[in-house]
Amino acid sequence: MKVVLEHITKIFPGRGRGAKATVAANDLTFEIPDGELIALLGPSGCGKSTALNLISGLQKPTEGRIFFGSDDVTDLPPENRGVGLVFQNYALYPHLSVMDNIIFPLGNLRGKEKMSKEEMHKKAHEIAKLVQIDELMDRKPAELSGGQQQRVAIARALVKMPKVLLLDEPLSNLDARLRLQTREEIKRIQRETGITTVFVTHDQDEAMSISDRIIVMKEGTIQQIGGPQEVYDSPANLFVANFLGTPPINVFSGHVRAGELYIGENDVLKVKGAPDGEVFAAIRPEGFILDENGPFECALGRVEVMGRDISVVSTHHDSQNEVIRSIISAENRVDTSKKTVRFFLKPKKTFLFDKKTEARIDFEIA
Ligand code: ATP
């Protein structure tokens, strides 16, 4: 089922006299193609959950329309939208078995959709098999691991075969290993069912690894929509560049003059086509090439061995980050007796941003 948001705005009025209203969603317009898994990604408070709640119908927009396929669902309550919801706290019924938790939503079906007990059990078994908890049907939630509980919550959301599956930080309560495993599971389940899915997360790694497309949000507004690689390789603005990637991107104050990028006194890269002026230059950690003849000189801090790669930690007075992290192959030797380290920069891993608007400035790569 295709999901379309058209100019969706949600304003929460301030509480108390003089309190400011919050624009939690500001003119959101996007389309989720049928069968895609989309991540809503951004820092705490950027409006991800609000956007999800608007799609589910738990909240009403102040302005704008929402469509499922060609149907306008803006005024429909959640129970009539055909959505499955999974939250961070799985909210399972503690006194019910796994089976009874999963079939719970089926008990509410009325009219021609009403199911017999046998039909419900058959359906629950099918879904439990899909999420691989079919061996645990008689247990109570307290007798399950966090990951298993989350699978029950997903099974419960899927049992009515929703048109759209909405997941709000579903992995936050799991430890690091289970998070990895469960996110792979979610991707598999989503592929197998083909249900259009929206996944809310503040974890860029999670968003990058499982989604077909990422919507990056900040303060209620969309910053960029694109495939994971596209958003990483071509960030629309400095916020997106900073938000994606570990270790984070290295940001410097610099300036462009006659098609050359300068950081401090160093002429570090050809940036043909970029207009003269002050810029932020952002370089991915993998964008540095260690070379004693390189044009970019930084003060050498330390070298951290990471197995296959090494991380050279350095500083520069025009760096916006406390330290600069460059990741280079462990085959390189860094002369730690020296006070400085020199680099060439990879043009595809270096981005320029307008100092005022922080929008990306394109340049030609020679
Ligand atoms: P988090 O990752 O912390 O859950 P989020 O990106 O999901 O954050 P939202 O929960 O959508 O953010 O909140 C967006 C903004 O709207 C925040 O400033 C929040 O304080 C505000 N907000 C959310 N719900 C309400 C509400 N019911 N009443 C008033 N303000 C609200």
Side-chain angles (χ1 to χ4, degrees), residues 8-10 22-29 43 45-48 50-51 216-223:
I8 288 290
T9 293
K10 176 70 181 175
T22 304
V23 185
N26 190 354
D27 197 17
L28 305 182
T29 295
C46 73
K48 311 178 290 287
T50 301
V216 186
M217 292 183 68
K218 177 194 171 195
E219 294 168 3
T221 59
I222 295 175
Q223 303 294 302

Side-chain angles (χ1 to χ4, degrees), residues 203-216:
D203 181 336
Q204 50 101 20
D205 218 28
E206 209 159 272
M208 293 278 283
S209 63
I210 72 166
S211 50
D212 297 308
R213 220 182 287 230
I214 298 178
I215 299 179
V216 186

Side-chain angles (χ1 to χ4, degrees), residues 88 90 92 141 143-153 170 173-175 178 182:
Q88 176 178 346
Y90 329 116
L92 300 175
E143 296 160 353
L144 301 174
S145 72
Q148 290 165 338
Q149 289 183 36
Q150 191 55 296
R151 286 174 202 217
V152 178
N173 288 349
L174 306 180
D175 67 35
L178 256 183
T182 313

Side-chain angles (χ1 to χ4, degrees), residues 259-281:
E260 301 286 335
L261 168 65
Y262 290 83
I263 298 177
E265 298 301 307
N266 296 150
D267 175 354
V268 294
L269 191 69
K270 283 206 182 318
V271 290
K272 197 173 162 206
D276 285 5
E278 303 276 308
V279 291
F280 285 118

Side-chain angles (χ1 to χ4, degrees), residues 2-59:
K2 179 172 88 171
V3 176
V4 180
L5 271 70
E6 274 183 14
H7 303 292
I8 288 290
T9 293
K10 176 70 181 175
I11 301 173
F12 291 110
R15 283 207 198 283
R17 278 209 333 180
K20 266 181 45 187
T22 304
V23 185
N26 190 354
D27 197 17
L28 305 182
T29 295
F30 59 84
E31 185 176 316
I32 307 172
D34 183 28
E36 273 203 6
L37 195 164
I38 291 273
L40 288 173
L41 173 69
S44 181
C46 73
K48 311 178 290 287
S49 299
T50 301
L52 198 82
N53 292 341
L54 290 163
I55 297 172
S56 71
L58 289 173
Q59 282 171 355

